[in-house]
Amino acid sequence: MGRVMEKLYVVRAEARGIVDAAARAWQGPGRERDLLVQSLKAAGAATLAWAVSGWWLKDPVALMAPWVAVVLVQATVYRSLFKGLQQLVAIAIGTLLAAAVEALTGNTLISVALVLPAVMLLSSWPRLGDQGIYGPTTALFTLTSAPVSSLTVSHRLLQALLGAVIGIAVNALILPPVHLRNVRENLSSLAYGTRETLASIAEALAQGAWSKDTPADWRRLADQLQQRQESLRSARQWSHESLRLNPRLPWKSREKLPPIPPEGEDQRWGSIVAQVGAVVGTMVDVADENRSIPTPDQQPLRDYGRLLAELATACGVRAELICEPSAPDGARRELDEALEAVERHHDALHKRLTDERYVSAGTTAVLGTLLIQAQNIWHDIAPETWPRATAEA
């Protein structure tokens, strides 16, 4: 019964997620609306390709056109062109090789046994990228779907070319995608995720105890930060690609595009994520009773938790500035105040490390490591115009 209830809960959560995504797509621009537009464009390209090849031309291998068209409505126009070329090469290799072997052997079974190993090897050719798999699948279609002849082979290649042209044209001419907003969204998501991770550790330290599941939760948060960092890298690549060969953005109008955070911000938060991962690793060792690392005294850990809480606040303010680049001076003053609080807690904790009445010998080594990691996070969060952080870095 409990397992059934758990499955029902998962189904409800997924249904609620779908409804929320649909609502966000309806409300305004965002990732959900972008996905909806691209899905409708892919469906439209496939429908148009079938209308031309199957309904109008009545081609015997009309399936090739919509099959290629739906795949080539990619995330960017540049990617559509690049993937289209790769796919056409893979399809041509699979079709021609299958037809040649069939002509030599005259037997479908033997041809399949001979052709598939060769085209499977060719599908892993780096120059074909992830489109290489269309070589083996096209070879199978060629050998099994119809009599192999020069007519069907030429029709298959022409239909693939027709589908590629339609898919690329639809993607380029109908709301060609521009992925500038995704960079800011992913960067702010990374910053907010960093705040959440630091706040979670700070809360556990403030309570002075944690359960056996707490380290696993910290690991999960750190892994999520890595995933968000990968999403940011992908978004940055898409933003560059979406400006290439995009007819929606002539060179004169590109100056009017909304600004996106510089790539230096990606490096900044990549460094912060690495240091947060180091903090998590150290804290997991501290929480593990089976490790030989000495458990620090409770009071220094609580003080360190307050330092992490201040760092979490600074990350949150920095994330708000990413979301609103034209934020008022009040937000920047708030960041300065958060950084000053970090500095006070850091300096006080650093001085206490030399006080034997405050920390034991085992605590000094562990807390010193944690303090260095927190200092690195602090210096990375601070903007270049913040003199105290840059002077000490």
Side-chain angles (χ1 to χ4, degrees):
M1 185 66 180
R3 187 171 296 180
V4 173
M5 294 301 296
E6 183 179 350
K7 289 183 178 179
L8 285 175
Y9 176 79
V10 171
V11 170
R12 289 175 182 173
E14 291 180 351
R16 186 164 54 249
I18 293 173
V19 172
D20 292 343
R24 288 192 295 269
W26 175 264
Q27 290 170 357
R31 171 178 167 77
E32 290 78 10
R33 178 172 290 187
D34 291 343
L35 290 175
L36 176 61
V37 170
Q38 287 299 100
S39 299
L40 293 176
K41 286 169 60 176
T47 303
L48 178 60
W50 176 257
V52 173
S53 61
W55 177 69
W56 183 34
L57 298 177
K58 301 186 184 304
D59 197 285
V61 287
L63 173 64
M64 289 296 297
W67 182 41
V68 173
V70 74
V71 173
L72 291 185
V73 180
Q74 295 280 329
T76 65
V77 176
Y78 172 80
R79 190 167 297 192
S80 289
L81 289 167
F82 185 67
K83 299 291 185 183
L85 180 60
Q86 288 179 321
Q87 188 178 132
L88 288 175
V89 172
I91 288 174
I93 291 174
T95 301
L96 295 175
L97 189 57
V101 174
E102 170 70 17
L104 290 174
T105 63
N107 184 282
T108 301
L109 180 59
I110 296 175
S111 299
V112 169
L114 293 175
V115 169
L116 283 185
V119 290
M120 284 302 298
L121 286 173
L122 284 170
S123 68
S124 60
W125 187 26
R127 290 190 179 276
L128 294 180
D130 57 1
Q131 303 299 304
I133 191 61
Y134 289 99
T137 54
T138 304
L140 276 175
F141 287 153
T142 301
L143 292 171
T144 61
S145 62
V148 182
S149 65
S150 59
L151 181 63
T152 57
V153 168
S154 61
H155 276 235
R156 192 175 299 278
L157 295 176
L158 289 173
Q159 288 300 314
L161 179 60
L162 174 63
V165 170
I166 291 176
I168 294 171
V170 167
N171 201 33
L173 300 178
I174 301 176
L175 297 176
V178 180
H179 296 283
L180 301 182
R181 181 180 59 252
N182 290 350
V183 173
R184 190 176 300 282
E185 291 176 352
N186 280 277
L187 189 57
S188 62
S189 174
L190 183 61
Y192 282 123
T194 304
R195 180 191 64 180
E196 180 184 356
T197 304
L198 292 173
S200 176
I201 301 175
E203 181 180 0
L205 294 179
Q207 294 173 355
W210 46 76
S211 68
K212 63 179 182 180
D213 296 327
T214 302
D217 293 337
W218 293 340
R219 285 289 190 192
R220 176 182 54 80
L221 290 172
D223 291 342
Q224 288 178 354
L225 287 182
Q226 294 292 335
Q227 294 170 4
R228 291 178 179 180
Q229 191 174 2
E230 289 298 323
S231 298
L232 175 59
R233 290 195 187 101
S234 178
R236 182 69 70 174
Q237 180 183 1
W238 282 14
S239 71
H240 290 316
E241 282 189 7
S242 63
L243 298 177
R244 302 174 67 178
L245 305 177
N246 195 326
R248 181 180 174 185
L249 298 173
W251 285 106
K252 292 182 179 179
S253 65
R254 299 193 180 199
E255 298 177 356
K256 302 178 182 179
L257 291 173
I260 61 175
E263 293 189 31
E265 287 294 314
D266 300 3
Q267 299 171 3
R268 175 197 303 276
W269 287 98
S271 177
I272 292 173
V273 167
Q275 293 300 324
V276 171
V279 171
V280 169
T282 305
M283 288 305 307
V284 168
D285 288 340
V286 169
D288 190 349
E289 297 178 352
N290 298 321
R291 297 291 180 93
S292 60
I293 182 172
T295 302
D297 302 330
Q298 288 300 315
Q299 187 56 47
L301 278 182
R302 289 192 182 96
D303 292 339
Y304 184 74
R306 284 194 285 271
L307 175 61
L308 292 186
E310 297 293 349
L311 284 171
T313 300
C315 284
V317 178
R318 192 85 201 216
E320 293 174 3
L321 291 175
I322 293 172
C323 295
E324 298 292 338
S326 58
D329 293 338
R332 303 188 184 279
R333 284 196 300 271
E334 187 178 353
L335 178 59
D336 285 339
E337 292 172 0
L339 291 173
E340 288 171 358
V342 170
E343 183 181 31
R344 287 194 303 271
H345 280 88
H346 174 273
D347 291 348
L349 197 54
H350 187 271
K351 291 177 181 177
R352 292 174 186 171
L353 280 179
T354 59
D355 188 349
E356 295 180 356
R357 296 169 299 177
Y358 177 73
V359 292
S360 62
T363 299
T364 301
V366 177
L367 199 61
T369 300
L370 289 169
L371 200 58
I372 290 173
Q373 294 163 350
Q375 180 177 334
N376 290 335
I377 296 172
W378 162 39
H379 288 174
D380 284 329
I381 294 174
E384 289 74 8
T385 55
W386 211 68
R388 286 177 289 277
T390 54
E392 295 182 12

